[in-house]
Amino acid sequence: MSTQNVMHVFIDESGQRSPSAKSSDYFIMSAVLVMETRLDHARQHLAELKKLTNRKPDHLLHWKKLSPDHRLVVSRQLGSYIDLGYISVVACKRVLANQAQATVDVNGESITFPMFPPLSEDEAYLKTYQYLLERISWVAELANARVDISIEHTIRFKAKTLREFERQIKQDASCSAKWDQLPHGAKLRSKKDEDLLQLADVVASGIGAAFNGHPKNGTDASHVRAMAPRIWKGPYGTPKMTTYGLKMHPWNDATKRLHPWLLSI
């Protein structure tokens, strides 16, 4: 394939993948998709975001360091960049934990026991990544593009763990990734080495604000709404953002009741 048919993907996360009760309720992985021919435009967008938020060109753009007003500026701009596309997977950890256990009545006493062990940090991270990878490959197939993936390197996660997982899911018939679009494994990189990972940071954190929120200010779905024009709605018929560009896991009656606003975007 020519360089015109290379899709670059930059992935970052929001929330904690830990299953502990003190960790965030949601774990989010987000991908920014840009064709290789538009990489210069993506870097121009990054430079613009820094300028609009009073950052110097050599400073990293980091959501946690932005004021509320600047965060809204960033999310609105992200929704306007036609060169970029966004896909996120949101793991609802507490609902998943409840599904992993059962409650039975024993002599009039309700006893709760685990049906299967909770996922470790790495297992939770990789399962979320699988859902994201599937959707990335679907977009790439439509674009007739092969994919080059850069993932923000996260603490306590090793490249060899990623390589082994990629090997396993290629043999898993339940995985719906289009492997012809994924010729090689993802690279673990830092924002200092790959500047466009900064875009993935603000996308993931903007999505995360709608779910994990702030201890004092609660959740804020305005950033998701602002970015919605560039969140993938799927290839066919009626747009289905919650199936494609913003997948909630699990997406069932419990999570729909928790987030009815998602159905209105």
Side-chain angles (χ1 to χ4, degrees), residues 112-145:
T112 300
F113 64 93
M115 295 174 63
F116 50 84
L119 296 178
S120 68
E121 285 192 6
D122 281 357
E123 289 170 336
Y125 181 93
L126 291 167
K127 189 62 179 178
T128 307
Y129 174 59
Q130 177 181 334
Y131 287 129
L132 190 64
L133 187 66
E134 289 172 341
R135 283 152 181 78
I136 291 167
S137 73
W138 301 344
V139 176
E141 184 179 54
L142 291 169
N144 190 29

Side-chain angles (χ1 to χ4, degrees), residues 14 31 38 42 74 82-83 102 105 109 113 117 141 165 179 182 203 206-207 213 236 240 255 264:
S14 178
R38 311 300 284 182
V74 166
I82 62 173
D83 319 272
D105 185 275
E109 180 182 359
F113 64 93
E141 184 179 54
F165 180 72
W179 295 110
L182 303 163
V203 170
I207 300 294
Y236 312 112
K240 295 182 179 179
T255 48
S264 67

Side-chain angles (χ1 to χ4, degrees), residues 197-216:
L197 282 168
Q198 295 170 76
L199 294 176
D201 174 281
V202 290
V203 170
S205 297
I207 300 294
F211 296 95
N212 290 320
H214 187 277
K216 293 183 178 179

Side-chain angles (χ1 to χ4, degrees), residues 2 6 18-19 51 63 100 118 121 147 174 184 199 213 219 240 254 261 264:
S2 70
V6 176
S18 167
K51 185 175 181 180
W63 182 270
E121 285 192 6
V147 178
S174 68
H184 52 77
L199 294 176
T219 57
K240 295 182 179 179
W261 57 271
S264 67

